Amino acid sequence: MYVAVKGGEAAISNAHRLLADRRRGDRSLPSITIDQVAEQLGLAVDRVMAEASLYDRSLAALAVRQSRGDLIEAIFLLRAYRTTLPRFGNSVPLDTAAMQVERRVSATYKDLPGGQLLGPTFDYTHRLLDPSLLTDEEVDEPARKPASGEEVMRVSDILAHEGLIEADGDLPQDHEAGDLTREPMEFPMGRDLRLQALARGDEGFLLALGYSTQRGYGRNHPFVGEVRIGEVEVEMEVPELGFAVSLGRIRVTECQMVNQFKGSSKAPPQFTRGYGLVFGQSERKAMSMSLVDRALRADELGEDITAPAQDEEFVISHSDNVQATGFVEHLKLPHYVDFQAELAMVRKMRADIEAARAADRGENEMKDAAE
Amino acid sequence: MTADLATYNFAYLDEQTKRMIRRAILKAIAIPGYQVPFASREMPMPYGWGTGGVQVTASIIGRQDVLKVIDQGADDTTNAVSIRAFFQKVADVAVTTHTKDATIIQTRHRIPEQKLTEDQVLVYQVPIPEPLRFLEPRETETRKMHALEEYGLMHVKLYEDIAQNGRISKTYAYPVKVDGRYVMDPSPTPKFDNPKMHMSDALQLFGAGREKRIYAVPPHTEVVSLDFEDYPFEIQTFEQDCALCGAHGVYLDEVVLDDRGGRMFVCSDTDHCEDRREHGHVGAMLAPNQEAAE
């Protein structure tokens, strides 16, 4: 016999206990430490910091461990913590030209001030599984060279000398960057908010959209002006002091995409830019972001909007993976009240059709008999 | 990463955030049915799982409040249990499953069967607040349509339904017009519950966290389900009574008993059902000597 279900509480607590068990796994193996995650799974930690919009390697590593390596879950954990933190103010804009670069490549110039620097990249590795990683073999210390002191000029600045590239945005000096985690989001957005949304947007989603522009859905003729990875100083103006003080250094990846542009009624022929800036080391994300940023500037530059990647409302409304995963996965919550309503209606509609058919049959039989 | 990291304000949200949300709520009450954008916060539960309702509840709840949380009409569904536990943890408020004892009722997909009073607030969890969303996916467009009171598209949709199916085939999230002005999504409650919204004594608040909207129906406000003169709005009716408490004219859940088509119908509102049984009402399945009588 049916008994009203009780015990959701016990079920939930047992489920969480089992989850903790599975997270720990085989007890005969040592458990991984947060430091190990931060040091040896650093790119996972970087992604979590970037998409959670919170720069804290230890907390991100904790989230990765707590989520059993499910990065979207880890991003969610870190964001739910971030949202409770007080805001003290805004930093001054990062000066990425003053970056201590560890990697810097340009696809538009063979050589340039500051040089090309490969850094710690997967590029040009042959993707062969490496048996030496099965054991704990000694790893060589990296080769180092003394800092040259040469300024690592931004490619956009080099092009700007000739006036061939659009200038930096024309926001007024006292413009305060928006924050979509603190203010309601409205369309159309300013580019500052759009870039914020992209910076915390899902890497996979932006990758696919960026890729779609390359395949002709909103093509924007991109060149990698440069990608640079390294540490930058974060500074903040303190009103009492009257000058900026350093809060510390963070590692970021910056991509300046240089895009050919034939000109339109709104802008002369020149190179335009798409911009990507991401916490930690993530070239894929920074490059995708800059492709999508450029695509989303279609309206501003007077281009036709024909492709998904150019559609601000479509892109920004769907780029947040914590929102997306929540809403997709909520489908597993009970919906039986609504389903019941649908069930009753489908039954009624079918009954109506049956009744109409039966009536038709009856009429035909009467006709047959009469003939 | 120390222990003091995990300290949270009463009801989780910080006071500035609560103030921001309360302002949005006041605006929503002042313009019944209008969707007020608000800076929805990231909550420690997933989007789509009640973050809007939780933020509204967290902003209005006080230490004296008694909270009831239901999902599909039931207090014991897992997500209702989870949200109730959340507020017990972060606000340490009294909770109840009895509709009549609650001052705040947070709900997903149902309105309690028992008539609510002016001392109660009903907080709805809303997935998609925009009633026009499935006719026009763009927010920029739908906001314009609301501003201009341009609801022709909705009526055309309902008309097409009748033309194709012989009836308005919307069974839940059935659109309503509030106070003669805004067309509003009542959240995915079955249309059975729509009449309960009309001239309700209780304040009704709607929170959509992912979509960052709050809207409201103040007490004693007209809420009319959209229809046509020749196709008037109708609610669902059930042929059976509740198998446990014998209630008639309430919303029922269908429970599958076996793989041979066996079904029973029971109250979706579990508190209502339990209350009736306590008062001696008995449904077919619990009737004494049922088998002996056969």
Side-chain angles (χ1 to χ4, degrees), chain B residues 24-289:
Chain B
I25 292 172
L26 289 174
K27 181 168 179 182
I29 293 171
I31 318 172
Y34 171 74
Q35 300 166 52
V36 182
F38 81 111
S40 176
R41 294 293 188 253
E42 245 128 7
M43 299 300 284
M45 59 267 292
Y47 286 111
W49 297 53
T51 54
V54 168
Q55 287 180 75
V56 169
T57 300
S59 303
I60 62 170
I61 202 165
R63 293 182 198 277
Q64 311 305 319
D65 275 306
V66 181
L67 178 69
K68 171 181 165 83
V69 184
I70 51 173
D71 184 345
Q72 314 291 302
D75 298 274
D76 57 3
T77 34
T78 40
N79 204 42
V81 169
S82 167
I83 291 172
R84 191 164 55 237
F86 174 75
F87 279 109
Q88 279 176 291
K89 191 176 189 175
V90 299
D92 193 28
V93 290
V95 296
T96 183
T97 59
H98 300 302
T99 302
K100 60 178 187 308
D101 298 337
T103 56
I104 299 174
I105 302 172
Q106 182 170 327
T107 180
R108 175 170 173 265
H109 292 195
R110 274 310 310 277
I111 299 174
E113 301 291 358
Q114 188 179 329
K115 195 171 178 311
L116 300 180
T117 69
E118 59 189 13
D119 300 322
Q120 296 179 307
V121 181
L122 186 59
V123 178
Y124 296 74
Q125 299 171 202
V126 181
I128 306 265
E130 179 51 71
L132 306 170
R133 178 62 66 242
F134 300 104
L135 306 171
E136 167 54 60
R138 272 167 211 289
E139 182 67 16
T140 34
E141 285 302 312
T142 52
R143 286 190 77 78
K144 229 178 278 170
M145 289 160 76
H146 282 294
L148 300 172
E149 213 173 339
E150 178 51 69
Y151 295 130
L153 203 57
M154 179 62 93
H155 284 103
V156 170
K157 161 79 175 65
L158 298 179
Y159 168 76
E160 281 178 352
D161 249 21
I162 293 169
Q164 285 169 6
N165 305 317
R167 76 196 75 218
I168 294 172
S169 60
K170 212 141 173 60
T171 58
Y172 59 91
Y174 190 104
V176 294
K177 194 164 213 182
V178 180
D179 201 26
R181 175 60 178 83
Y182 284 98
V183 166
M184 185 189 93
D185 181 307
S187 89
T189 49
K191 64 179 180 176
F192 179 89
D193 286 335
N194 276 18
K196 294 179 194 157
M197 307 176 77
H198 179 62
M199 298 309 252
S200 165
D201 291 337
L203 169 64
Q204 303 173 77
L205 301 176
F206 299 77
R210 195 177 39 79
E211 300 278 342
K212 305 178 171 58
R213 295 288 183 272
I214 285 173
Y215 53 101
V217 176
H220 315 295
T221 302
E222 215 172 51
V223 178
V224 180
S225 303
L226 301 184
D227 62 356
F228 297 101
E229 268 172 33
D230 47 347
Y231 281 88
F233 172 77
E234 279 174 354
I235 62 169
Q236 288 104 343
T237 54
F238 293 84
E239 286 165 20
Q240 298 85 344
D241 297 337
C242 171
L244 298 181
C245 76
H248 184 74
V250 296
Y251 199 79
L252 301 176
D253 285 336
E254 182 171 335
V255 180
V256 177
L257 295 176
D258 53 42
D259 58 0
R260 297 181 302 279
R263 299 271 192 280
M264 67 181 283
F265 288 82
V266 292
C267 286
S268 136
D269 183 338
T270 49
D271 172 59
H272 184 71
C273 194
E274 279 160 22
D275 192 53
R276 278 178 56 84
R277 272 179 281 155
E278 262 166 39
H279 285 84
H281 296 278
V282 177
M285 191 154 264
L286 292 182
N289 303 325

